[in-house]
Amino acid sequence: MHNEKHQDVNATTSEKSIHTDFTNNMTYGEYLQLDKILSAQNRLSGHHDEMLFIVIHQVSELWMKLILHEMGAAIESIENNNLSAAQKRLARVSKTQSQIIQAWDVLSTLTPSEYMEFRDSLGQASGFQSYQYRMVEFALGYKTEHVLKIYQKDPELHAKLTEAFEKPGLYDVAIRALHKAGLPVDEDILNRDVTRTYKENDSVRAAWMTVYKNPEKYWELYELAEKLVDIEDWLQQWRFRHMKTVERIIGFKMGTGGSSGVGYLKKVLDQRFFPELWDIRTEL
């Protein structure tokens, strides 16, 4: 015990350069605005396990903020023909997605009995209303205009979502990159209405097939394609873990937001974002 105390004193005295006076300097907590972040977990029920529920969802929203930040930059990089920068950003998106997937493992420690103790406190609030998740879908090219109605209560947020809804998605700019590389893509796809969900196209499939058959010649497009596959793969894994966690905690009850719950979550597992990139695997 005495030896441990002696080591602790030595460790402290050997770090004399550590700053301790922050009278006029910014602290770690001030830089991260921890006063705002750590005071935002307000349990409406007072139940112990509601803290877990709030923190998991807040952490997921923070990770989604980073995903949107990186995907927006990746889209811009592809538009500017800087595919290597886009790949770096999309690789970070995939790593971030893995963190969100693991969050479900923590939430699944919540039992049905515990959740029922505070579920009524949520009212009609639901993850279905997550506007950042909608923006992720928009960036991936899945556009559903009716979801914008959810956000009409807040004009500023509605305008932000509408702007994201009307922008080209990640796959739109990737397809344009195929065209810029000299691969033939139908004009109606290049000039399509980006507010509509993308539907697969033969010319796009043929272009990606050429890339995969000639990876040395089209190396950057080949790498970009694999990054897109990573992102869709991880997104579907996130959705699957979401569905199984909900089934584990509430079974087949209706969701707080009015959706069919597990039934709805199973249905969205069939959505595809980059269909040709999956189809060509059978054909190669």
Side-chain angles (χ1 to χ4, degrees), residues 101-229:
I101 291 166
Q102 289 180 359
W104 294 120
D105 294 342
V106 185
L107 187 60
S108 66
T109 64
L110 183 69
T111 68
S113 305
E114 289 162 349
Y115 184 46
M116 286 306 115
E117 291 289 327
F118 64 83
R119 189 180 191 230
D120 288 347
S121 301
L122 305 180
Q124 293 181 330
S126 162
F128 184 79
Q129 296 145 17
S130 166
Y131 74 85
Q132 288 200 125
Y133 178 71
R134 295 301 169 191
M135 288 175 74
V136 168
E137 285 189 331
F138 292 168
L140 294 176
Y142 183 69
K143 304 289 181 78
T144 45
E145 192 168 12
H146 70 273
V147 303
L148 294 175
K149 292 177 184 174
I150 297 169
Y151 311 98
Q152 283 177 334
K153 177 181 177 180
D154 184 338
E156 192 176 324
L157 178 55
H158 188 265
K160 184 178 179 179
L161 277 148
T162 302
E163 183 186 356
F165 181 79
E166 292 173 351
K167 279 184 176 178
L170 192 54
Y171 203 43
D172 291 310
V173 295
I175 290 169
R176 289 172 192 171
L178 290 171
H179 173 67
K180 287 176 187 175
L183 295 161
V185 176
D186 292 346
E187 281 295 320
D188 60 333
I189 291 295
L190 295 171
N191 301 315
R192 77 181 198 88
D193 179 359
V194 297
T195 66
R196 294 183 178 275
T197 297
Y198 177 79
K199 295 283 191 292
E200 52 197 287
N201 173 268
D202 289 340
S203 69
V204 173
R205 185 184 294 105
W208 284 125
M209 183 66 83
T210 302
V211 168
Y212 271 79
K213 284 183 174 177
N214 304 276
E216 294 84 6
K217 182 178 180 181
Y218 299 105
W219 182 254
E220 287 197 320
L221 286 167
Y222 177 71
E223 286 265 273
L224 176 63
E226 284 299 293
K227 293 290 183 289
L228 295 179
V229 170

Side-chain angles (χ1 to χ4, degrees), residues 57 210 243:
H57 287 86
T210 302
M243 181 267 291

Side-chain angles (χ1 to χ4, degrees), residues 29 32-42 58:
L32 295 175
Q33 297 187 57
L34 293 182
D35 55 337
K36 292 181 183 176
I37 294 173
L38 299 179
S39 62
Q41 295 73 42
N42 301 309
Q58 288 181 341

